[in-house]
Amino acid sequence: MLTLSRIFESMSVIPYGRQDISEADIRAVVEVLRSDFLTQGSTVPTFEKAVTTYCATRHAVAVNSATSALHIACLALGVGPGDIVWTSPITFVASANCALYCGAQVDFVDIDSHTYNICVERLAEKLAQAEKSDCLPKVIIPVHLCGQPCDMTSIHALSQRYGFKIIEDASHAIGGKYKDKPIGSCYYSDITVFSFHPVKIITTGEGGMALTNNSQLFKHMQLLRSHGITRNEADMTHPSEGPWYYQQIDLGFNYRMTDLQAALGLSQMQRLDAFVSKRHAIARRYDKLLANFPIIRPWQHPESYSGMHLYVIRIELNKISKNYHEVFKSLRDSSIGVNLHYIPVYRQPYYVRLGFEAGYCPVAEEYYAGAISLPLHPMLTDEQQDEVVAALKRAINP
Ligand SMILES: *Cc1c(COP(=O)(O)O)cnc(C)c1O
């Protein structure tokens, strides 16, 4: 089977995203390799501390993926059978799957046509209806798509009115700010989740983190990360039986991050601000180069600072003679590793089997019909960016 990386290598494709690994990153990982602890050592808590300091949050639980972080976040908030979780349809499937892992139901709120984030007007309407039919959501998971923060003030106000909890899926957004507060501060939410997959802003290979200011949620997520086992006597049902003793007091998982991964993450944190400003510089350059193209360029909220994970353009198909498939294929044929973030989650066969129908979120489907993510990562050179723009020009104009 040809893996994605093999395909990219064989054609020297310009990928839409990739990691930026320095010699210092490599040295940091090697240092852990030579140490006594490859996992459950001191580097994981040091990495957690670096992220909570950066984000001005109290607590963090580093795990092996954002998917795991979303799962334990839902469990810590008490999501279970009979509960409903709402999220955006334009996200990676993990933002919705986490509710299903807990035996809960999931539902989707259509997106805003400018930001592509969850639409707060639709959300308010849907909440009013849900209140009448007594099926309010327990948790809402806003996703900061492309790194652009959702309208957290409004979502937080609605949570006060309707009593739901909030998990921010900030997989795209570490390094960004919402109204001068770092994404991850949890100022408007109960828990914030980051992903450290190599295409994201900083990487640990695989990895994720759940941040919170609530010490109960923190303790519960720590427990769930490691089998539901505690070695803390205060949390045990009866006094410790000896130095060997531990108790399993909940049903948890092995979702631990290794110290090798944490060392990479800790080293990458030092360049987080540089990564994000480089991404902004590249985005601004795209804005200039693409000014006269028949496309809609990303709209940036003036009150926030995006993590700038993705540069999504929308092709104005009514202004060109080619269809979406032709444009996309032409770009791929020119070795531009464009992508589509995302297929509306409820259009996935698994979700269709749960009963979701085409047309459920019209704005999301319209977005899906024309969106393309152009290559954007700190290693992208001006020459490569010019190549992307030239290829897009060829793809659009026959
Ligand atoms: C990448 C991503 C995830 C999952 O992250 P992993 O670390 O790969 O599990 C979840 N949500 C969004 C929005 C993502 O982009």
Side-chain angles (χ1 to χ4, degrees):
M1 199 189 89
L2 261 184
T3 63
L4 207 56
S5 58
R6 289 281 301 284
I7 293 168
F8 282 159
E9 230 168 72
S10 62
M11 299 164 50
S12 76
V13 162
I14 302 173
Y16 85 86
R18 66 153 291 162
Q19 69 280 8
D20 179 339
I21 302 295
S22 68
E23 287 305 315
D25 292 342
I26 293 167
R27 278 196 302 275
V29 175
V30 170
E31 205 174 297
V32 172
L33 270 172
R34 295 189 202 282
S35 77
D36 291 334
F37 295 98
L38 303 188
T39 189
Q40 296 177 283
S42 61
T43 318
V44 169
T46 307
F47 178 39
E48 289 168 340
K49 184 87 182 67
V51 178
T52 53
T53 302
Y54 183 90
C55 296
T57 330
R58 285 209 191 97
H59 310 289
V61 180
V63 286
N64 56 4
S65 70
T67 304
S68 303
L70 286 163
H71 185 193
I72 62 173
C74 283
L75 288 174
L77 289 171
V79 173
D83 293 326
I84 309 173
V85 173
W86 291 0
T87 189
S88 165
I90 298 299
T91 184
F92 186 56
V93 291
S95 317
N97 287 346
C98 56
L100 304 182
Y101 296 159
C102 303
Q105 275 179 289
V106 73
D107 201 356
F108 301 92
V109 183
D110 208 349
I111 60 167
D112 177 271
S113 59
H114 295 290
T115 63
Y116 318 139
N117 283 330
I118 196 166
C119 172
V120 290
E121 287 79 23
R122 291 291 87 69
L123 178 60
E125 284 169 18
K126 199 174 165 85
L127 284 164
Q129 278 168 11
E131 187 178 45
K132 279 187 206 137
S133 43
D134 197 22
C135 57
L136 281 166
K138 180 156 199 159
V139 171
I140 293 186
I141 307 181
V143 180
H144 304 313
L145 194 77
C146 308
Q148 167 137 271
C150 296
D151 179 352
M152 293 309 299
T153 314
S154 303
I155 296 170
H156 183 258
L158 289 167
S159 79
Q160 300 296 303
R161 162 82 175 76
Y162 291 99
F164 57 85
K165 303 287 184 192
I166 302 172
I167 302 172
E168 293 174 70
D169 184 342
S171 293
H172 299 181
I174 192 170
K177 285 198 177 81
Y178 175 70
K179 295 187 175 174
D180 294 331
K181 293 230 164 27
I183 300 290
S185 74
C186 298
Y187 190 79
Y188 300 94
S189 65
D190 298 279
I191 298 170
T192 301
V193 166
F194 291 138
S195 171
F196 306 129
H197 182 279
V199 298
K200 307 291 164 74
I201 312 270
I202 62 164
T203 190
T204 60
E206 295 281 359
M209 199 175 275
L211 289 83
T212 184
N213 289 317
N214 179 313
S215 57
Q216 288 304 112
L217 293 175
F218 168 58
K219 278 176 77 172
H220 199 175
M221 289 194 290
Q222 262 192 331
L223 207 60
L224 291 168
R225 164 174 66 181
S226 201
H227 309 281
I229 284 174
T230 184
R231 289 172 191 279
N232 180 0
E233 193 165 356
D235 298 325
M236 292 181 186
T237 54
H238 60 76
S240 171
E241 294 172 12
W244 67 88
Y245 195 66
Y246 58 83
Q247 275 190 350
Q248 184 191 340
I249 57 174
D250 200 344
L251 184 61
F253 312 89
N254 181 351
Y255 280 170
R256 291 188 302 262
M257 173 180 279
T258 67
D259 283 54
L260 299 167
Q261 293 169 304
L264 180 54
L266 187 58
S267 181
Q268 290 250 307
M269 275 304 284
Q270 295 187 27
R271 287 185 295 150
L272 172 55
D273 287 340
F275 285 157
V276 176
S277 48
K278 184 76 203 288
R279 286 173 173 276
H280 275 263
I282 294 168
R284 280 197 300 271
R285 192 159 182 271
Y286 268 137
D287 283 343
K288 281 206 194 90
L289 295 171
L290 300 176
N292 299 314
F293 280 55
I295 60 165
I296 299 167
R297 285 175 281 122
W299 181 81
Q300 294 301 321
H301 199 288
E303 277 189 335
S304 61
Y305 179 66
S306 173
M308 204 57 86
H309 169 52
L310 298 172
Y311 191 90
V312 172
I313 59 165
R314 293 171 75 191
I315 311 290
E316 294 184 291
L317 292 161
N318 54 344
K319 293 191 184 164
I320 67 172
S321 60
K322 294 205 181 158
N323 65 34
Y324 179 84
H325 193 270
E326 288 164 339
V327 173
F328 197 96
K329 185 161 183 309
S330 165
L331 284 161
R332 281 278 179 93
D333 288 346
S334 305
S335 297
I336 311 300
V338 287
N339 228 308
L340 206 185
H341 299 95
Y342 292 93
I343 306 160
V345 176
Y346 65 83
R347 297 303 298 141
Q348 297 292 349
Y350 187 85
Y351 282 83
V352 171
R353 286 206 295 279
L354 296 179
F356 290 100
E357 288 177 359
Y360 188 55
C361 296
V363 185
E365 293 189 24
E366 196 189 324
Y367 165 90
Y368 172 59
I372 296 181
S373 303
L374 298 183
L376 173 60
H377 56 83
M379 305 273 276
L380 192 75
T381 63
D382 284 0
E383 292 70 33
Q384 287 177 319
Q385 203 180 3
D386 293 342
E387 242 181 89
V388 173
V389 172
L392 182 61
K393 192 165 195 165
R394 286 197 304 275
I396 288 173
N397 302 312

